[in-house]
């Protein structure tokens, strides 16, 4: 079984949205475990920001698609994006 990759883009120091994203991803990781792979990118300077043309934090790439930019999504929205990307 392959996992769905979530790439989280957060600022340093983290804004309130970045804090909310980190909290949400801890909850998702606890619930889905090995079904998800979570990677954090702190920018600017991380080349992944340019790769996905992310210019506003927080942002989430789910699978290979940029799904959320400039906001912390609700858990329901993130789970929906994960299911679209193949989470069972």
């Amino acid at each position: 079984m392959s996992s769905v990759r979530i790439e989280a883009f957060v600022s340093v120091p983290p804004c309130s949205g970045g804090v909310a994203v980190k909290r949400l991803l801890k909850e998702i990781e606890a619930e889905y475990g090995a079904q998800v792979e979570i990677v954090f990118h702190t920018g600017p300077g991380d080349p992944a920001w340019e790769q996905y043309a992310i210019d506003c934090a927080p942002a989430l790439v789910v699978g290979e698609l940029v799904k959320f930019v400039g906001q912390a999504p609700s858990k329901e929205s993130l789970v929906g994006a994960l299911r679209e990307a193949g989470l069972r």
Side-chain angles (χ1 to χ4, degrees):
M1 174 178 69
S2 63
S3 61
V4 176
R5 184 177 175 99
I6 303 169
E7 295 185 67
F9 295 80
V10 295
S11 60
V12 176
C15 61
S16 60
V19 171
V21 162
K22 287 181 178 183
R23 190 175 303 130
L24 173 61
L25 290 177
K26 282 183 183 180
E27 189 176 329
I28 292 293
E29 186 174 43
E31 189 168 331
Y32 294 99
Q35 293 179 299
V36 295
E37 175 190 1
I38 300 172
V39 177
F40 283 94
H41 299 284
T42 54
D46 185 320
W49 286 70
E50 289 183 24
Q51 175 187 349
Y52 290 109
I54 303 288
D55 62 357
C56 186
L60 292 172
V61 174
V62 180
E64 295 184 11
L65 298 175
V66 177
K67 290 300 231 177
F68 307 97
V69 178
Q71 65 180 0
S74 68
K75 181 178 179 183
E76 293 79 16
S77 295
L78 180 53
V79 169
L82 288 166
R83 295 208 186 284
E84 287 176 10
L87 183 76
R88 297 189 187 273

